[in-house]
Amino acid sequence: MNSERVCQLGFGPEGNGPVVYWMCRDQRLEDNWALLYAREEALKKRVPLEIVFCLAPRFLSAGARQYHFMLSGLKELEEKARNLNIGFRVLCGEPDKKIADYCLEQSCSTLIVDFFPLRIFNNWVKSLCSEFNGSIYEVDAHNIVPCRVASPKQEYAARTIRPKIHKRLPEFLEDYPKLEHYPYPPEEAAKNDWDEIYRYAGIYGTEPSIDLIQPGCDAACERLEKFLSSGIKIYDKGRNDPNEDAQSGLSPYLHFGQISSQRVAYEAARCKNPGEGNVEAFIEELVVRRELTDNFCFYNSWYDSFEGVAEWARKTLDDHRQDKRVYVYDTEAFENASTHSELWNAAQTELLKTGKMHGYMRMYWAKKILEWSESPEKALETAVYLNDRYSLDGRDPNGYVGILWSLGGLHDRGWTEREIYGKIRYMNERGCRRKFSVDKYIMTWLGMKLG
Ligand code: FAD
Ligand code: FO1
């Protein structure tokens, strides 16, 4: 493994117990550099290898749909880990305390943690390092070019990070070694009480209230195969049409780490007959745009507020603070998809019903929240709340950056000045009508024909 993926965070002494991998963001066994690194360390020391996941009491407004999705994936993972002789334990509670206590109890020799740029995780890790004075390493298994390696600073835009990522891609975009059966078994077979875990997550005895896409790593691989045999062939032209099945649909799996973006990019690059420009367009989104969002959240702790955006964007929104708003909705009206716009309501309904909104509609959806809210701050609060509450892939750097791009011109430039938006890029229904059949989209999600 490329050693540039690893960053030492804790410099304390090593115990004589297992190597522990605290899995958080990369919830998979295959294609996981953090687990491969943990395995290598454990093998050198001839000690057991344990994966620990900690279910936190609250996680950024996550609700039943996200917990069903995540826990199904983890149950699938438990069985596979057992077959590989790797321990897998789910703890419930505040992760910094729980992981520290676990490492102390087990006299853990080395602790490996995921790379994850959001504040919640940073705070957990800081507190963990003060409670557990051991040997701790972070491994970036989420980005193809590790975030710390791609750039040492916050990048301005895709155009500035793109050459940096492409320069290092040949080194990092490699195939993974297979995860082999581990020779030293865990001390005692992990006994996860799934009823208790589901109870802790607040979903015991319930079914997801929506028709969830199939969770888990196997389902993620199937989705990738399907995309590589059909969707990718029309990706470049079709991805901006929400009536087309041209996008991969992989974001929930990528968010929970049920598939690795490196695997996706590696397979996409080897795809036969994808048609001109499609792989390049897909890699641009999957690698450049996605890794830019980790870069922003890692180097800018204001990633979910206007403090995080450029001075020109803050000023222009401020200049237009007093502009007359023809429509003003509160969070509830947005949440219930009861605005005057059937197109907007259709997008919100897609999100409510499926846990996912088409990528093109996400931009329109967020920009209209800006236009129809009493202030930019209220709009931001509403957009983050709805995205985090209803999107399976929400609570993610991609979400915070997507919202700030739409509302605060992040990674964008100034455009022609207009009411409310100022110089922030504008979108309207007429523009959508030029790109795709708006009526068909409304029909799909609201089940009615409109004039
Ligand atoms: P594909 O087009 O198949 O792309 C493959 C992957 O590339 C995606 O899964 C994603 O990981 C990455 N990607 C694609 N577009 C972008 C982008 N613009 N920025 C960064 N990465 C991208 N994405 C999320 O994963 N979670 C979110 O919560 C989220 N919220 C968003 C909110 C708004 C307001 C906007 C404008 C965008 C948001 N996005 C979010 C980015 C993007 O819309 C989704 O990643 C994409 O729609 C997911 O569908 P897909 O997997 O079929 O995408
Ligand atoms: N990570 C954890 O380590 N513990 C959790 O309890 C947890 C809950 C959770 C709920 C919804 C969700 O979208 C993510 C959740 N995650 C949790 C984080 C997960 O690791 C995600 O992949 C990151 O949010 C990625 O940005």
Side-chain angles (χ1 to χ4, degrees):
M1 184 188 93
N2 193 318
S3 60
E4 285 189 274
R5 289 196 179 278
V6 185
C7 173
Q8 188 163 7
L9 303 178
F11 297 84
E14 293 188 353
N16 53 11
V19 167
V20 174
Y21 164 38
W22 172 19
M23 176 182 276
C24 171
R25 193 188 196 196
D26 291 284
Q27 300 170 16
R28 62 183 181 277
L29 298 180
E30 288 301 334
D31 301 341
N32 183 336
W33 291 119
L35 179 58
L36 287 163
Y37 183 74
R39 187 183 188 280
E40 227 171 84
E41 290 300 298
L43 202 56
K44 271 194 247 158
K45 300 177 170 92
R46 300 170 177 237
V47 295
L49 172 58
E50 300 244 347
I51 302 171
V52 179
F53 179 86
C54 187
L55 190 62
R58 293 161 302 282
F59 191 86
L60 306 172
S61 336
R65 59 179 67 184
Q66 291 91 10
Y67 281 113
H68 274 291
F69 192 84
M70 183 175 80
L71 293 180
S72 291
L74 290 173
K75 269 174 104 169
E76 176 190 292
L77 189 150
E78 178 188 53
E79 196 181 323
K80 290 183 180 168
R82 193 181 306 120
N83 294 336
L84 287 167
N85 223 14
I86 300 172
F88 176 68
R89 196 175 290 270
V90 180
L91 306 174
C92 296
E94 294 294 347
D96 46 348
K97 285 278 309 154
K98 285 283 167 182
I99 301 287
D101 290 350
Y102 187 79
C103 290
L104 289 166
E105 251 167 50
Q106 301 287 317
S107 189
C108 149
S109 54
T110 306
L111 172 65
I112 315 296
V113 305
D114 283 334
F115 171 81
F116 184 15
L118 299 190
R119 286 188 302 271
I120 188 168
F121 190 71
N122 264 325
N123 294 339
W124 287 342
V125 170
K126 263 191 214 136
S127 155
L128 166 66
C129 289
S130 69
E131 303 220 4
F132 172 61
N133 177 32
S135 151
I136 308 177
Y137 294 88
E138 167 206 274
V139 178
D140 189 342
H142 212 77
N143 292 292
I144 303 177
V145 179
C147 183
R148 293 176 192 270
V149 173
S151 172
K153 63 175 176 70
Q154 182 187 324
E155 292 293 333
Y156 289 103
R159 81 188 136 72
T160 65
I161 202 169
R162 189 178 297 115
K164 297 181 181 174
I165 288 183
H166 278 288
K167 186 165 166 226
R168 304 300 301 267
L169 260 189
E171 258 170 273
F172 286 99
L173 185 50
E174 53 182 331
D175 199 0
Y176 290 90
K178 190 172 159 31
L179 182 69
E180 302 286 352
H181 187 268
Y182 190 67
Y184 307 107
E187 290 278 292
E188 45 168 325
K191 287 185 224 80
N192 292 311
D193 180 345
W194 286 99
D195 284 354
E196 198 42 48
I197 294 164
Y198 273 70
R199 211 169 272 126
Y200 194 82
I203 56 167
Y204 177 71
T206 68
E207 291 292 324
S209 58
I210 56 166
D211 209 5
L212 264 190
I213 56 165
Q214 184 67 32
C217 300
D218 294 344
C221 291
E222 275 171 34
R223 170 71 65 145
L224 173 61
E225 264 175 45
K226 184 175 162 258
F227 173 66
L228 294 181
S229 66
S230 58
I232 199 164
K233 297 187 167 67
I234 52 166
Y235 187 80
D236 192 24
K237 297 225 161 61
R239 69 167 189 262
N240 285 334
D241 183 343
N243 300 310
E244 286 280 3
D245 197 11
Q247 290 196 302
S248 70
L250 285 169
S251 61
Y253 302 107
L254 289 163
H255 166 73
F256 287 101
Q258 294 176 353
I259 196 164
S260 113
S261 61
Q262 186 168 329
R263 168 62 59 201
V264 176
Y266 187 79
E267 299 302 334
R270 288 162 13 129
C271 176
K272 295 209 175 73
N273 309 319
E276 211 187 316
N278 290 318
V279 171
E280 292 74 10
F282 182 63
I283 296 282
E284 168 70 13
E285 301 300 331
L286 175 76
V287 187
V288 176
R289 301 278 166 175
R290 202 179 49 78
E291 301 200 352
L292 177 61
T293 75
D294 260 30
N295 168 276
F296 179 69
C297 294
F298 185 59
Y299 292 113
N300 192 327
S301 57
W302 298 103
Y303 54 76
D304 51 359
S305 88
F306 285 110
E307 309 294 322
V309 304
E311 181 57 34
W312 70 263
R314 281 208 301 267
K315 180 172 182 312
T316 200
L317 287 170
D318 227 18
D319 290 346
H320 290 269
R321 197 172 278 284
Q322 306 305 333
D323 290 358
K324 182 171 164 41
R325 273 107 173 119
V326 179
Y327 303 99
V328 176
Y329 299 108
D330 59 13
T331 308
E332 207 185 338
F334 283 121
E335 189 160 14
N336 296 332
S338 51
T339 72
H340 66 285
S341 158
E342 299 297 351
L343 177 58
W344 196 94
N345 296 345
Q348 173 68 10
T349 304
E350 179 183 12
L351 175 62
L352 294 174
K353 284 192 176 163
T354 67
K356 188 135 185 328
M357 187 190 297
H358 188 277
Y360 188 78
M361 293 312 299
R362 278 180 133 158
M363 299 187 273
Y364 173 82
W365 173 88
K367 284 181 180 290
K368 292 297 149 187
I369 296 179
L370 174 66
E371 190 176 327
W372 302 332
S373 292
E374 67 195 34
S375 67
E377 291 73 20
K378 181 67 188 165
L380 180 55
E381 185 192 312
T382 303
V384 168
Y385 164 74
L386 294 177
N387 196 50
D388 281 2
R389 171 129 201 228
Y390 293 106
S391 294
L392 285 174
D393 63 11
R395 303 149 305 285
D396 191 282
N398 277 354
Y400 302 117
V401 169
I403 290 170
L404 276 192
W405 178 87
S406 309
L407 271 55
L410 174 66
H411 299 147
D412 203 0
R413 62 173 171 89
W415 294 74
T416 311
E417 194 158 4
R418 60 173 66 235
E419 297 281 280
I420 306 171
Y421 289 78
K423 293 178 184 162
I424 306 295
R425 186 195 296 242
Y426 175 71
M427 276 175 85
N428 67 2
E429 185 168 326
R430 206 156 357 112
C432 293
R433 286 190 182 275
R434 280 198 297 272
K435 284 209 178 280
F436 63 92
S437 166
V438 163
D439 292 343
K440 187 171 173 196
Y441 181 72
I442 292 174
M443 179 71 177
T444 304
W445 295 108
L446 299 185
M448 62 176 100
K449 234 193 184 96
L450 294 142

